[in-house]
């Protein structure tokens, strides 16, 4: 929850506004209170869309749909004006957490909780369908939990069952992973009430197991599995619940039960009037109680925030309420906070505060105790060195500090870390997380807070689109890395066919890297591929290596983990094969060299990270030698993989913050955060706070438009998905029991 901004209204439709619950490209959602004291969530359409008649028609339809649903288990509309110059829609404000947040923080729900959830949500859907509507977006993020039961929200894409959708033909409407096969195929215009029942089945399976029944990952893969694969219900031990979920998740819409039938078939008592949250586990009930307590602490309404020098900051009580009230921004209780390791919150550098006395924070969201501990620690060190460098400037307009939180590589802990950073208003931006799964889990919290998040080591091909676009993938994805892999292995006269070995022990990283390499080979070259996938835990790779060579593979690419890479190297060494062999960068660990022994010799790797120590000797890379020397001086060792990349993106953030501060105080471009920086051309989307701190939304816009020359690469982001522009990668080879840096990966001449 953010405080109101200078351009925000103080009142909408009889509601005094207290703060912002969220914002997106289409509008802003405010927390408001009526003269009678009732709280409401008020969706206000931005002026640039209010004049679009098609958009206004869709918004009018949303309001009409929500008004027609009469159920205690659906959040009611309390007011609306879809015809005014500034259209708005108000619903009852429910302070409870979303189901997605509860499962991410507390794990799967017990069987009784799932039964209650299913019975009451089936009643909500019965009311939706009884009103002649189809919700079309039943998912964990659209269900709020309260002491007396769940609440279904968001009728933004609901429509009359017989109506024609206002969307393009073939457009998938809904949320992948929770939509029915008939919507997954792009036939969403014809999806009926049966589709909502399928989505409810997905939601209940998620609540019972902690994961979507058709997995996660790339959207196209999700849609394919939804249409063709059976749901994964492992972990649903209750026979009755498992059977019911199986019926709800039938591929044939006609085979699914109606929502009204589910209510009678689920034999579970539901909470009565004034009931406590005994239908939920204790930790979930505690979360709900914290939200309710925040409501009781609500102070008097203050006027819209003015950031002029004469206006004081919001009172502490109000700040606490704003941090707690919004869904997805829950305070960490004592027991929960113990799971998050706070490494530090101190100013880095030894030069003291800035002349203006301003001290702001760069967050580091890292795996410091899990499987990617080495990468997380390297990134933390890179951030600290960049902050040291900035703070050593005599003309710095503010001082930076570093705050480090450890998620241990666990997605649930990653959510808690993200929420902790989101609540800390002194945090300007966060570097991390370290791993793909931790990043995907944390994105909603960062997006809701519009807190800039820059990852240098999460390389998934795609992540779910976020409303506020605060996420920047500052490293090449697995798809981008496949291009230099193909160039290196196939653009040579002695190679015509590439054998691709995908070892599922490497998880999504292996699957995406292998899939992309296989896909890009015919697009980039005249060569062909022979792909093979082996199940996780396969100990003998000899037969699959023999198959690859038997199909005339002239080169080999292994996608998997270090242990599997060693097995592949030993199996390959037992054959007459003499062609080039390469593995993805996830194999580049000491374990590969130890287990493969002499058979590791000559294997090559395309990696998204540079060897900063090696680069320090190369001409034309400003600052690399100084960085390597500073790293050795402070940490007693050469920079490890990912350290230079974290150093770079921290410098990028410092550059943009300094520029925004300079623009606000001097009316022009401010100083840059690095001698090698190129000033951003970004336009702030929100003004600074009373102490001069740039707004988070303004910093997001500035980073999106930035261009920054770092040690490892030049950083710029594409407009559509804010992924790193370019295919810069680095080449390594196993030689003499170590990894030798060969330099930047060569690119094709055309």
């Amino acid at each position: 929850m953010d405080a109101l901004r200078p351009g925000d209204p103080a009142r909408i439709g009889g509601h005094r506004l207290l703060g912002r619950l969220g914002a997106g490209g289409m509008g802003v959602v405010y927390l408001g209170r009526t003269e009678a004291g009732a709280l409401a969530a008020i969706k206000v359409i931005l002026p640039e869309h209010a004049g679009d008649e098609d958009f206004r028609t869709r918004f009018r339809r949303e309001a009409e749909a929500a008004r027609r649903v009469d159920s205690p288990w659906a959040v009611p509309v309390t007011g609306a004006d879809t015809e005014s110059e500034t259209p708005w829609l108000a619903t009852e404000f429910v302070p409870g957490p979303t189901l997605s947040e509860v499962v991410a923080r507390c794990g799967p729900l017990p069987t009784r909780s799932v039964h209650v959830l299913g019975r009451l949500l089936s009643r909500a859907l019965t009311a939706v369908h009884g009103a002649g509507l189809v919700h079309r977006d039943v998912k964990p993020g659209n269900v709020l939990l309260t002491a007396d039961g769940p609440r279904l929200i968001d009728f933004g894409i609901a429509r009359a069952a017989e109506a024609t959708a206002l969307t393009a033909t073939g457009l998938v409407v809904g949320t992948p992973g929770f939509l029915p096969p008939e919507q997954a195929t792009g036939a969403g215009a014809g999806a009926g009430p049966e589709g909502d029942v399928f989505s409810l089945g997905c939601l209940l399976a998620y609540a019972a197991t902690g994961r979507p029944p058709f997995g996660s990952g790339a959207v196209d893969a999700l849609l394919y599995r939804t249409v063709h694969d059976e749901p994964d219900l492992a972990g649903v031990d209750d026979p009755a619940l498992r059977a019911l979920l199986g019926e709800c998740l039938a591929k044939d819409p006609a085979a699914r039960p109606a929502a009204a039938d589910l209510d009678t078939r689920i034999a579970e008592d539901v909470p009565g009037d004034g009931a406590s949250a005994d239908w939920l586990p204790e930790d979930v009930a505690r979360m709900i109680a914290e939200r309710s307590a925040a409501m009781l602490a609500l102070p008097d309404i203050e006027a819209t925030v003015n950031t002029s020098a004469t206006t004081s900051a919001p009172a502490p009580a109000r700040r606490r309420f704003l941090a707690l009230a919004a869904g997805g921004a829950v305070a960490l209780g004592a027991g929960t906070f113990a799971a998050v390791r706070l490494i530090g919150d101190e100013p880095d550098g030894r030069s003291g505060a800035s002349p203006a006395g301003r001290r702001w924070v760069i967050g580091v969201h890292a795996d410091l105790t899990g499987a990617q501990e080495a990468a997380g620690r390297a990134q933390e060190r890179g951030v600290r060195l960049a902050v040291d460098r900035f703070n050593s400037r005599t003309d710095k307009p503010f001082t930076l500090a570093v705050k480090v939180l450890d998620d241990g590589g666990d997605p649930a802990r990653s959510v808690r870390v993200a929420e902790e950073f989101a609540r800390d208003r002194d945090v300007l931006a966060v570097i991390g997380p370290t791993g793909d799964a931790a990043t995907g889990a944390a994105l909603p919290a960062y997006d809701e807070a519009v807190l800039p998040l820059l990852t240098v080591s999460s390389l998934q091909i795609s992540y779910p689109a976020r409303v506020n676009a605060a996420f920047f993938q500052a490293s090449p994805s697995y798809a981008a890395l496949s291009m230099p892999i193909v160039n290196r292995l196939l653009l040579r006269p002695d190679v015509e066919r590439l054998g691709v070995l995908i070892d599922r022990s490497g998880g999504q990283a292996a699957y995406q890297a292998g899939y992309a390499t296989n896909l890009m080979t015919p697009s980039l070259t005249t060569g062909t591929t022979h792909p093979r996938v082996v199940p996780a835990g396969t100990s003998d790779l000899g037969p699959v290596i023999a198959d690859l060579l038997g199909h005339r593979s002239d080169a080999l690419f292994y996608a998997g983990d270090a242990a599997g890479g060693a097995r592949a190297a030993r199996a390959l060494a037992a054959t007459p094969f003499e062609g080039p062999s390469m593995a993805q960068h996830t194999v580049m660990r000491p374990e590969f060299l130890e287990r493969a022994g002499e058979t590791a010799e000559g294997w090559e790797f395309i990696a998204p990270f540079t060897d900063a120590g090696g680069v320090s000797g190369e001409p034309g890379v400003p600052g690399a030698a100084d960085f390597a020397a500073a790293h050795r001086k402070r940490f007693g060792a050469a920079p490890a993989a990912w350290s230079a990349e974290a150093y770079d993106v921290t410098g990028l953030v410092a550059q943009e913050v300094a520029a925004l501060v300079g623009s606000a105080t001097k009316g022009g471009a401010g100083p840059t955060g690095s001698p090698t920086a190129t000033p951003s051309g970004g336009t702030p989307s929100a003004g600074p706070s009373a102490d001069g701190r740039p707004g988070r939304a303004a910093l997001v816009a500035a980073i999106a438009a930035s261009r920054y020359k770092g040690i490892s690469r030049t950083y710029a982001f594409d407009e559509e998905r804010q992924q790193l522009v370019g295919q810069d990668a680095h080449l390594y080879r196993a030689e003499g029991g170590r990894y030798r840096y060969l330099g930047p990966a060569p690119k094709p001449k055309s």
Side-chain angles (χ1 to χ4, degrees):
M1 165 86 82
D2 288 329
L4 295 174
R5 299 174 183 173
D8 288 333
R11 182 181 293 274
I12 288 285
H15 302 83
R16 288 293 302 275
L17 303 186
L18 284 72
R20 285 178 164 228
L21 291 172
M26 300 301 178
V28 180
V29 180
Y30 297 99
L31 178 66
R33 190 166 72 177
T34 67
E35 296 299 333
L39 294 173
I42 307 160
K43 181 187 292 187
V44 179
I45 301 306
L46 294 175
E48 55 263 38
H49 299 296
D52 182 338
E53 191 53 41
D54 285 344
F55 186 88
R56 188 182 283 267
T57 298
R58 288 193 291 270
F59 187 63
R60 186 184 299 120
R61 185 183 64 187
E62 175 183 355
E64 292 171 353
R67 282 185 181 278
R68 288 161 63 181
V69 178
D70 182 14
S71 170
W73 314 115
V75 174
V77 172
T78 58
D81 188 347
T82 60
E83 310 307 320
S84 69
E85 183 177 351
T86 305
W88 59 272
L89 170 69
T91 63
E92 177 185 302
F93 178 71
V94 179
T98 64
L99 175 62
S100 56
E101 181 186 355
V102 164
V103 172
R105 286 169 56 98
C106 305
L109 297 179
T111 298
R112 188 200 170 211
S113 299
V114 178
H115 279 151
V116 172
L117 193 66
R119 190 167 193 184
L120 296 184
L121 288 178
S122 71
R123 293 180 183 178
L125 287 178
T126 299
V128 170
H129 301 159
L133 299 171
V134 183
H135 189 283
R136 297 202 301 169
D137 200 18
V138 178
K139 62 182 180 181
N142 279 342
V143 173
L144 300 174
L145 300 186
T146 71
D148 64 350
R151 299 291 189 276
L152 181 65
I153 64 171
D154 198 349
F155 291 82
I157 61 173
R159 64 176 180 84
E162 73 283 358
T164 299
L166 295 175
T167 53
T169 301
L171 179 66
V172 176
V173 178
T175 301
F178 295 93
L179 47 73
E182 55 268 32
Q183 282 178 250
T185 57
E194 302 87 354
D196 284 345
V197 172
F198 187 95
S199 298
L200 178 61
C202 293
L203 179 149
L204 296 178
Y206 171 83
T209 66
R211 62 186 185 279
F214 297 100
S216 57
V219 171
D220 55 349
L222 264 177
L223 298 180
Y224 181 89
R225 291 195 295 268
T226 300
V227 174
H228 299 285
D229 291 358
E230 291 303 309
D232 176 11
L233 300 180
V236 182
D237 299 324
D238 181 72
L241 178 59
R242 191 182 184 94
L244 191 66
L245 292 179
E247 291 184 42
C248 292
L249 296 174
K251 305 296 185 187
D252 181 4
R256 301 169 199 154
D261 295 335
L262 293 177
D263 182 17
T264 59
R265 290 183 55 182
I266 299 176
E268 186 63 64
D269 293 334
V270 298
D273 292 338
S276 65
D278 61 355
W279 68 283
L280 290 166
E282 183 179 348
D283 51 353
V284 178
R286 187 182 305 115
M287 289 174 64
I288 294 172
E290 288 172 349
R291 299 289 175 90
S292 299
M295 294 298 97
L296 297 176
L298 178 64
D300 292 336
I301 298 173
E302 298 174 358
T304 301
V305 173
N306 184 329
T307 56
S308 66
T310 59
T311 303
S312 61
R318 173 175 166 79
R319 285 194 173 199
R320 174 170 171 77
F321 167 72
L322 293 180
L324 293 175
V330 185
L332 295 175
T336 307
F337 187 75
V340 180
R341 180 180 172 202
L342 179 62
I343 304 300
D345 187 9
E346 76 284 359
D348 277 47
R350 313 296 185 257
S351 56
S354 66
R358 295 178 290 198
R359 176 181 173 274
W360 302 322
V361 177
I362 300 292
V364 180
H365 182 158
D367 176 0
L368 299 177
T369 53
Q372 293 181 279
E373 176 181 358
R377 185 65 66 189
Q379 291 175 33
E380 177 197 349
R381 290 178 171 183
V383 173
R384 291 192 181 280
L385 286 178
V387 167
D388 280 353
R389 183 184 185 194
F390 181 86
N391 287 343
S392 68
R393 290 175 40 182
T394 57
D395 63 339
K396 59 183 178 294
F398 50 85
T399 299
L400 288 176
V402 179
K403 178 176 180 177
V404 184
L405 294 177
D406 173 26
D407 65 20
D410 177 62
R413 285 176 61 177
S414 181
V415 173
R416 296 195 289 271
V417 167
E419 291 171 349
E420 167 67 11
F421 276 130
R423 285 194 301 274
D424 189 339
R425 299 305 303 166
D426 286 334
V427 175
L428 298 173
V430 175
I431 311 304
T434 311
D436 295 330
T439 299
L443 280 183
Y446 286 114
D447 184 72
E448 181 178 327
V450 202
L451 177 57
L453 178 69
L454 299 91
T455 181
V456 298
S457 55
S458 297
L459 312 182
Q460 274 191 193
I461 293 175
S462 65
Y463 290 91
R466 310 309 314 171
V467 172
N468 292 308
F471 172 57
F472 297 88
Q473 193 173 19
S475 190
S477 68
Y478 297 116
L481 287 175
S482 70
M483 298 179 190
I485 290 170
V486 172
N487 293 337
R488 180 69 175 178
L489 290 176
L490 282 154
L491 295 185
R492 56 178 75 192
D494 57 336
V495 174
E496 294 183 357
R497 173 167 293 186
L498 175 62
V500 180
L501 173 52
I502 303 173
D503 188 342
R504 295 308 294 263
S505 294
Q508 279 293 313
Y511 178 79
Q512 292 189 22
Y515 175 82
T517 300
N518 183 62
L519 184 68
M520 295 306 298
T521 295
S523 300
L524 298 174
T525 74
T526 59
T528 59
T529 63
H530 180 64
R532 285 293 306 270
V533 180
V534 298
T538 302
S539 58
D540 183 8
L541 293 181
V544 71
I545 292 291
D547 178 78
L548 292 172
L549 301 184
H551 283 81
R552 303 186 309 280
S553 296
D554 307 307
L556 176 69
F557 174 66
Y558 171 83
D561 60 6
R567 288 193 291 270
R570 292 197 302 270
L572 192 63
T575 73
F577 180 78
E578 295 182 355
S581 52
M582 177 176 284
Q584 70 179 127
H585 69 277
T586 54
V587 175
M588 279 184 62
R589 297 190 176 190
E591 182 182 4
F592 172 75
L593 298 175
E594 294 167 2
R595 295 192 178 192
E598 294 181 355
T599 66
E601 196 75 9
W603 276 69
E604 292 187 347
F605 309 85
I606 293 291
F609 48 78
T610 187
D611 176 1
V615 169
S616 65
E618 293 187 2
V621 184
D626 291 342
F627 166 74
H631 194 285
R632 289 187 177 90
K633 180 178 180 181
R634 180 162 185 191
F635 302 113
W642 303 114
S643 187
E645 287 74 20
Y647 177 85
D648 283 346
V649 296
T650 306
L652 185 158
V653 170
Q655 161 192 298
E656 297 306 323
V657 175
L660 290 173
V661 171
S663 296
T665 58
K666 300 177 183 179
T672 60
S674 166
T676 63
T678 302
S680 165
T683 301
S685 59
S689 64
D691 64 355
R693 179 183 62 237
R696 288 176 170 178
L699 184 53
V700 167
I703 293 171
S706 67
R707 185 175 179 83
Y708 184 86
K709 184 172 178 58
I711 293 171
S712 59
R713 57 176 53 90
T714 295
Y715 291 82
F717 302 97
D718 68 63
E719 294 182 3
E720 182 178 354
R721 294 199 294 173
Q722 297 185 173
Q723 289 183 320
L724 186 71
V725 174
Q727 303 166 17
D728 295 311
H730 301 273
L731 184 63
Y732 294 80
R733 180 184 296 139
E735 290 184 0
R738 65 183 184 91
Y739 296 112
R740 176 173 168 245
Y741 180 59
L742 302 181
K747 300 178 182 179
K749 297 180 179 180
S750 60

